[in-house]
């Protein structure tokens, strides 16, 4: 198990749901000594949110931990909009260029059939 896992999304409602899921499943991680932290990661912004008044913001220590220790990036069900997909890859590029270690990225992709009402 990882020492620290950062579970990210955007939007207070979604992040609060993630936090509830982490709490409900904490018994699964308790014995391994790891910790799961829920943080905002907005692909449409150039920087991580560090405003201490904002819920789910990053502390300077967490950002340092992210860059110093990350070795795996996992993204599941994140490809559903062309603009957001481009934003995701721009965000990943910014992040991995600051990582101190080699990193493996794993993406889970569901084939989606996009259509309009006309179709």
């Amino acid at each position: 198990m990882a020492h620290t896992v950062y579970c990210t999304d955007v939007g207070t409602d979604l992040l609060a749901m993630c936090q509830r899921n982490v709490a409900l499943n904490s018994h699964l991680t308790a014995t391994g000594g790891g910790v799961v932290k829920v943080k905002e990661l907005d692909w449409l912004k150039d920087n991580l949110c560090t405003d201490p008044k904002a819920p789910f913001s990053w502390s300077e220590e967490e950002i340092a931990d992210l860059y110093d220790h990350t070795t795996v990036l996992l993204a599941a069900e994140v490809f559903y909009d062309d603009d957001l997909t481009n934003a995701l890859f721009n965000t990943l590029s910014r992040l991995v260029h600051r990582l101190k270690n080699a990193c493996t990225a794993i993406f889970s992709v569901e084939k989606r059939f996009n259509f309009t009402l006309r179709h």
Side-chain angles (χ1 to χ4, degrees):
M1 173 172 191
H3 181 266
T4 304
V5 172
Y6 292 101
C7 175
T8 64
D9 210 321
V10 67
T12 304
D13 290 346
L14 290 173
L15 291 163
M17 180 180 60
C18 290
Q19 188 65 56
R20 283 191 302 274
N21 287 334
V22 167
L24 289 171
N25 291 287
S26 62
H27 65 284
L28 299 172
T29 60
T31 58
V35 62
V36 179
K37 297 182 178 187
V38 177
K39 298 293 170 186
E40 179 180 300
L41 180 60
D42 188 340
W43 304 337
L44 299 174
K45 294 182 179 173
D46 290 337
N47 297 305
L48 299 172
C49 176
T50 58
D51 180 357
K53 295 178 185 173
F56 307 106
S57 67
W58 297 77
S59 70
E60 293 301 324
E61 293 81 17
E62 290 165 334
I63 293 171
D65 177 59
L66 175 76
Y67 294 139
D68 290 348
H69 299 107
T70 297
T71 56
V72 176
L73 296 170
L74 174 64
E77 301 304 317
V78 294
F79 301 106
Y80 50 87
D81 176 270
D82 290 343
D83 292 334
L84 288 177
T85 299
N86 289 338
L88 167 64
F89 281 106
N90 287 333
T91 297
L92 289 174
S93 178
R94 280 193 306 276
L95 289 175
V96 299
H97 281 94
R98 296 188 67 182
L99 297 180
K100 298 219 167 118
N101 298 300
C103 184
T104 300
I106 302 169
F107 301 97
S108 169
V109 180
E110 176 184 343
K111 183 172 181 161
R112 296 183 186 268
F113 295 100
N114 295 324
F115 56 90
T116 64
L117 290 175
R118 183 175 59 84
H119 290 116

